[in-house]
Amino acid sequence: MKRSAWLFAGSVVIAAVPAFAQSASPTAGAEPGPEQVTAQTEPTVEAGVAEEEIIVTGIRGSLASSAQMKRNADLIVDSITAEDVGKFPDTNIAESLQRITGVAIDRSGGEGQFITVRGLGPEFNTVLVNGRVMATDNPGREFSFDVLSPNLIQRTDVFKSSVPQLQEGGIGATVNILTSRPLDGKRGFHAAVSAGGTYDRLRKKLGPDLSATASWTNDDKTVGVVLSGAYTDRHVQLDYVQTDGWIFGQQDIVNGAASASNLPAGSVTKTSQRVHVPQNLAYVQQREDRERLNLSGAFEVKLSDQLLFRVDGIYSKFNVNMQRNNFANFYSSPYIDLKVDSSGTANSFSRPGRDFRAANPALASLSLSQNDNIVERNDRFAETYQFGGNLKWTPSEDAEIVFDASKTRATQHNPRQFVVVGSLAQTSPLYTLGDDDGVPVASNYGVIDDPSLMRAHYAAVEDNRIKDDGSEYHVDSTFQVRDSLLSKVQIGFSYSDRHKTRRPANNYADGACTYCGYEVPIDPSLLSSFEFGKFLPGVAGADAAPSRFFTFDPGAILAFLSDPATLAIPRQGRSAAAQAAEAARLLALAGGPYGAREQLGGILDVREKLLAGYLSFTFAGDNWNGNVGVRVVETQTRSAGFIQPVTGITTTPGDDTLSYSYGPSTPISVSNRYVNALPSANFKLNVTPTVIARAAFSQTVTRPTLTDLGVDNSYGGRVSVPLSSGGNPGLRPFKSTNYDLSFEWYPSRTSYVSIGGFYKSLEDFLELTTEPVSRFDRIFQDTRTRNGQTGHICQRAPKIPQKWASKIP
């Protein structure tokens, strides 16, 4: 990859509400300290006059705290702070983070799940909870923000530059989510309760959003405890049009119109150029019920003037029940009347239907287009926890040593049913790409609401499980230096051990295509009518969505298909005796033809051990400060699993889906080790009392996401495009050399204007690539992560509006 430009970002944070009471402004030129943001509860006396300082809370207090964090930091950072206990902005942490310049989010079920920072996706960003890595229920490293309620969060920091004491792993950013600390709060007992709800207009349902927080701290502020809980239950509906990938290559075409008759056998030829053709087009309605329970707590005690002990923990249970109904046309060659634009993309085409084949007997071997009714149930049951202990020892006024240990675990259970009931098209369905303002259109699919036409087709069952276990140990020390240009020395060590497993179970190898030929009728009593209602109103092309098709209970269809009498129905090219033998084989499988059987070849088992040490020096002058240091980390990985050789590839008569058979599994283990030295430097200059300039340099790495390190391989696809995918245990880490510049203006305690630019020089770019690979006498399109090219990310700066530029000193 080669990308070139400078990327600059501007941000403005301004208080939107007045403060009814606040303390006097700080002395000109002085940076506001914590006491000036939170003020005091007791009156102060000066020259015999009592002044009572008022606590500034709510939105203004939140903005002041966030601005102070950014202003006082030794590196480039943005923060979001809760307005009060249990009052973090937005209903989702990721949605709050997208308020920060350079942060974008990916959504799941309508709420933010992953973040992208400076154009780098979730796998390139490290997310910490209370300074520790928290296990994730998804297969990789990417942190799922939707498992945590924002009501438990006190502050979230997004570090865009690096210091040696900050954990490595994020070339985009490092995000640290902080929960409440009792000794940072008020004395005595305090509680906050909130109740709300989210109404989904498409589902026409209201879901509750409840939270409560209670804290207690003794009068001496030596002992404190805080407990929080949150519960949400959302009901979501998503309507969309979807294409699941594109087929690229020379395509088979029919030289004749969809209305042609008596075409000769030689009418099918290949295109002269390689063409992008959609694999399918589906009109989809997806409904989800998303239930989340979060609990967190912390206990702190000052054992002495020199020792502070803390234990904290967080627990999440997140259940998503999803059902997806869609009507889909699946496309494969040959194509009728294929029209291609200048980029090599198919603008329109038809696929043969029964009427076309009947009118052209010389082309009787052509595969026919399909009208499919699909019901998918895909649930996610996730549990995540983290707990840890922390001991801070202050042996002298100039020394501090912190010991920290933590344990984390995440599990996910992902049962899935994907059942297709459909028919071979009576007419020849037409695909049209549409214009830029609309969606692609499928039309001319003929009769689709006649239950007597419905036949059994593809059915897949999965029961996948993920477990992520981790433990961390840190020792961090800080030594202050007086009367010297050198003001601080920091030394630390850390060790972590993470073990992630994914155990897939499904019926793909010997059951998914039991009925792929559209030959066996479905019992009409198992089908019911499905209507979209108002589907994407106002979107061009959306009115082509079918007004009515079929839905069903996937479990009932699977039971019908597993019935011995249904399995024994003879198929094309197979005698009754041969079909009876095949039915007996399928019934003898564990769970029958639709039992979810563990697939050894798809197992992911990756263990990663990290040993790191760092050294950092901080220097300071009258109006500047900076730090320089290095972090050295050794990474050891072991990827284990099974090799499951393919022994045969077959197709079902009347269908072009590939089916695979496998031989005995053989265990395999691959190890990898590498060491990275990661220098960094930050410089901060107070240009004026309210203007700060910053510069930063660092080298960072992002390790391959854990899913990419597996030894697994999987196969699929169709006759025209065989597909394979899997892991790559020999991947190297993605390296980035980073340069940052930032200018910040603080016109008041609660607002700032900032503009910044960055440049990243990249090596060993981790790319999900698809390459042709020769296997089993076929050319497979093989998709997996590979170390790619070098490159850089940057962008030109925008112009500063004159009304702002004229006010900056």
Side-chain angles (χ1 to χ4, degrees):
M1 59 173 282
K2 294 281 185 183
R3 289 187 284 181
S4 177
W6 267 92
L7 181 56
F8 271 79
S11 61
V12 180
V13 179
I14 300 175
V17 298
F20 295 103
Q22 66 183 62
S23 58
S25 299
T27 305
E31 293 187 354
E35 71 282 354
Q36 292 167 325
V37 174
T38 61
Q40 301 292 326
T41 56
E42 299 89 1
T44 61
V45 179
E46 182 178 356
V49 178
E51 288 187 0
E52 184 175 359
E53 296 190 6
I54 306 301
I55 296 176
V56 181
T57 61
I59 295 176
R60 190 177 181 90
S62 170
L63 293 173
S65 179
S66 298
Q68 177 190 317
M69 173 68 186
K70 181 178 182 67
R71 186 172 188 174
N72 293 343
D74 293 332
L75 70 169
I76 299 174
V77 60
D78 288 291
S79 297
I80 296 178
T81 305
E83 297 171 23
D84 205 340
V85 175
K87 292 185 179 180
F88 201 73
D90 302 301
T91 58
N92 177 275
I93 301 173
E95 289 167 7
S96 293
L97 291 177
Q98 71 175 339
R99 297 167 179 258
I100 293 175
T101 304
V103 178
I105 66 173
D106 296 325
R107 295 181 181 273
S108 171
E111 64 179 321
Q113 183 179 20
F114 301 119
I115 66 167
T116 294
V117 183
R118 291 177 162 180
L120 293 163
E123 67 271 29
F124 300 114
N125 300 298
T126 296
V127 178
L128 310 174
V129 178
N130 293 324
R132 310 159 181 145
V133 173
M134 188 166 177
T136 63
D137 70 291
N138 63 73
R141 300 181 192 277
E142 303 85 350
F143 185 79
S144 299
F145 284 89
D146 56 0
V147 303
L148 293 181
S149 168
N151 298 320
L152 307 182
I153 308 307
Q154 190 61 33
R155 193 180 81 226
T156 300
D157 300 326
V158 179
F159 298 98
K160 295 179 178 177
S161 64
S162 185
V163 289
Q165 57 270 33
L166 196 62
Q167 291 195 47
E168 77 290 334
I171 67 170
T174 298
V175 179
N176 190 22
I177 300 170
L178 299 168
T179 57
S180 298
R181 294 288 180 259
L183 295 186
D184 293 340
K186 307 170 187 177
R187 295 175 176 83
F189 176 79
H190 300 273
V193 178
S194 69
T198 302
Y199 180 77
D200 188 275
R201 289 185 296 174
L202 292 179
R203 285 290 297 274
K204 297 180 172 59
K205 279 191 174 184
L206 175 66
D209 185 353
L210 311 172
S211 67
T213 301
S215 66
W216 173 85
T217 303
N218 67 349
D219 291 339
D220 296 332
K221 296 200 75 171
T222 58
V223 180
V225 62
V226 60
L227 298 172
S228 301
Y231 174 80
T232 60
D233 187 10
R234 294 187 60 196
H235 309 285
V236 179
Q237 179 174 313
L238 305 174
D239 294 345
Y240 53 94
V241 178
Q242 176 172 291
T243 294
D244 296 307
W246 293 69
I247 301 169
F248 181 57
Q250 286 186 290
Q251 308 295 340
D252 291 337
I253 56 173
V254 176
N255 293 305
S259 58
S261 60
N262 296 314
L263 292 173
S267 297
V268 178
T269 60
K270 285 191 177 294
T271 58
S272 59
Q273 66 180 115
R274 302 175 75 190
V275 180
H276 294 273
V277 181
Q279 181 173 279
N280 72 314
L281 185 66
Y283 297 94
V284 187
Q285 183 173 101
Q286 178 175 316
R287 296 187 174 192
E288 293 186 6
D289 296 308
R290 304 168 69 86
E291 185 180 32
R292 180 176 61 207
L293 173 67
N294 282 171
L295 301 171
S296 73
F299 170 76
E300 288 183 309
V301 56
K302 288 185 177 179
L303 301 174
S304 70
D305 291 340
Q306 296 179 329
L307 291 175
L308 172 65
F309 175 70
R310 176 194 303 134
V311 291
D312 58 75
I314 189 166
Y315 169 82
S316 170
K317 184 176 183 180
F318 188 41
N319 293 338
V320 180
N321 297 98
M322 184 273 279
Q323 177 163 313
R324 183 182 290 132
N325 287 83
N326 67 45
F327 179 84
N329 290 139
F330 282 83
Y331 305 127
S332 60
S333 61
Y335 305 98
I336 303 173
D337 196 21
L338 176 66
K339 292 183 172 59
V340 181
D341 66 15
S342 58
S343 69
T345 301
N347 272 336
S348 68
F349 57 82
S350 294
R351 281 276 293 125
R354 288 183 182 274
D355 57 354
F356 180 85
R357 191 161 67 179
N360 297 276
L363 304 178
S365 61
L366 295 184
S367 65
L368 300 184
S369 188
Q370 307 148 353
N371 294 327
D372 286 335
N373 306 268
I374 304 172
V375 178
E376 178 184 5
R377 288 181 179 167
N378 192 354
D379 300 332
R380 170 188 171 198
F381 304 121
E383 283 192 85
T384 309
Y385 71 77
Q386 181 199 76
F387 67 87
N390 184 287
L391 181 66
K392 183 166 71 173
W393 177 37
T394 311
S396 69
E397 184 180 357
D398 296 327
E400 177 183 284
I401 303 175
V402 179
F403 305 89
D404 190 273
S406 63
K407 168 71 177 176
T408 183
R409 171 176 289 182
T411 60
Q412 184 192 116
H413 179 205
N414 180 210
R416 176 175 179 257
Q417 296 174 325
F418 183 91
V419 178
V420 183
V421 170
S423 63
L424 297 175
Q426 305 297 304
T427 57
S428 297
L430 171 66
Y431 167 88
T432 306
L433 181 60
D435 56 36
D436 293 339
D437 297 325
V439 296
V441 172
S443 59
N444 195 42
Y445 25 67
V447 177
I448 60 173
D449 57 356
D450 182 354
S452 67
L453 296 177
M454 295 301 104
R455 300 292 186 268
H457 185 48
Y458 185 85
V461 176
E462 298 179 3
D463 192 16
N464 301 320
R465 296 178 185 271
I466 294 171
K467 184 167 74 170
D468 188 4
D469 273 307
S471 56
E472 285 187 60
Y473 307 92
H474 295 259
V475 180
D476 300 280
S477 61
T478 302
F479 303 95
Q480 303 291 339
V481 180
R482 298 181 182 274
D483 302 321
S484 171
L485 193 65
L486 175 65
S487 63
K488 185 168 57 178
V489 178
Q490 293 173 278
I491 304 172
F493 303 90
S494 67
Y495 172 79
S496 67
D497 187 348
R498 190 171 186 182
H499 186 197
K500 192 144 204 167
T501 58
R502 180 191 65 201
R503 306 191 75 89
N506 57 60
N507 71 319
Y508 293 169
D510 40 27
C513 256
T514 300
Y515 293 91
C516 276
Y518 292 94
E519 298 178 75
V520 176
I522 291 292
D523 182 351
S525 68
L526 300 177
L527 306 175
S528 58
S529 180
F530 184 89
E531 297 181 17
F532 278 130
K534 294 181 179 179
F535 185 78
L536 299 180
V539 177
D543 55 357
S547 59
R548 180 178 298 145
F549 54 102
F550 289 110
T551 188
F552 43 84
D553 176 359
I557 296 291
L558 292 173
F560 171 77
L561 299 180
S562 300
D563 187 285
T566 308
L567 285 168
I569 295 175
R571 313 294 172 77
Q572 180 181 346
R574 188 182 292 168
S575 66
Q579 182 59 40
E582 174 63 7
R585 183 190 73 83
L586 292 169
L587 290 169
L589 297 170
Y594 299 105
R597 293 168 285 278
E598 186 171 58
Q599 303 299 312
L600 295 179
I603 285 178
L604 170 77
D605 186 333
V606 177
R607 187 161 193 173
E608 179 182 78
K609 297 181 180 181
L610 307 176
L611 179 62
Y614 68 84
L615 178 63
S616 178
F617 300 96
T618 300
F619 302 88
D622 292 337
N623 63 341
W624 65 272
N625 67 278
N627 57 74
V628 61
V630 65
R631 184 179 184 91
V632 180
V633 57
E634 178 192 58
T635 303
Q636 296 185 49
T637 62
R638 176 201 52 81
S639 302
F642 294 84
I643 293 178
Q644 204 167 13
V646 173
T647 57
I649 305 175
T650 59
T651 58
T652 302
D655 192 81
D656 62 358
T657 303
L658 295 176
S659 297
Y660 298 82
S661 55
Y662 299 90
S665 300
T666 304
I668 184 176
S669 178
V670 179
S671 296
N672 197 6
R673 175 185 176 276
Y674 48 87
V675 177
N676 297 108
L678 306 172
S680 64
N682 291 269
F683 179 76
K684 173 184 174 183
L685 174 66
N686 296 310
V687 180
T688 74
T690 58
V691 176
I692 295 174
R694 300 179 187 269
F697 161 82
S698 64
Q699 289 187 333
T700 52
V701 295
T702 285
R703 299 180 188 88
T705 192
L706 297 173
T707 9
D708 293 339
L709 293 173
V711 295
D712 56 305
N713 287 286
S714 61
Y715 302 94
R718 298 170 179 268
V719 172
S720 57
V721 187
L723 302 175
S724 61
S725 62
N728 187 351
L731 287 172
R732 301 180 301 276
F734 190 145
K735 301 176 184 177
S736 178
T737 301
N738 315 295
Y739 305 89
D740 286 84
L741 289 174
S742 175
F743 296 91
E744 302 158 9
W745 173 41
Y746 295 85
S748 73
R749 190 175 62 195
T750 57
S751 61
Y752 66 83
V753 179
S754 71
I755 183 169
F758 69 89
Y759 177 93
K760 294 179 180 290
S761 177
L762 310 173
E763 300 177 36
D764 289 331
F765 199 99
L766 295 169
E767 300 176 279
L768 186 65
T769 61
T770 299
E771 299 180 359
V773 176
S774 178
R775 289 175 174 164
F776 322 122
D777 298 324
R778 298 172 186 259
I779 301 299
F780 281 73
Q781 296 300 313
D782 184 70
T783 302
R784 65 190 69 222
T785 299
R786 298 173 172 90
N787 285 111
Q789 304 176 38
T790 60
H792 45 269
I793 303 176
C794 46
Q795 195 172 26
R796 290 180 297 179
K799 292 183 179 179
I800 302 175
Q802 183 61 36
K803 65 179 181 179
W804 286 106
S806 62
K807 296 181 181 180
I808 299 177

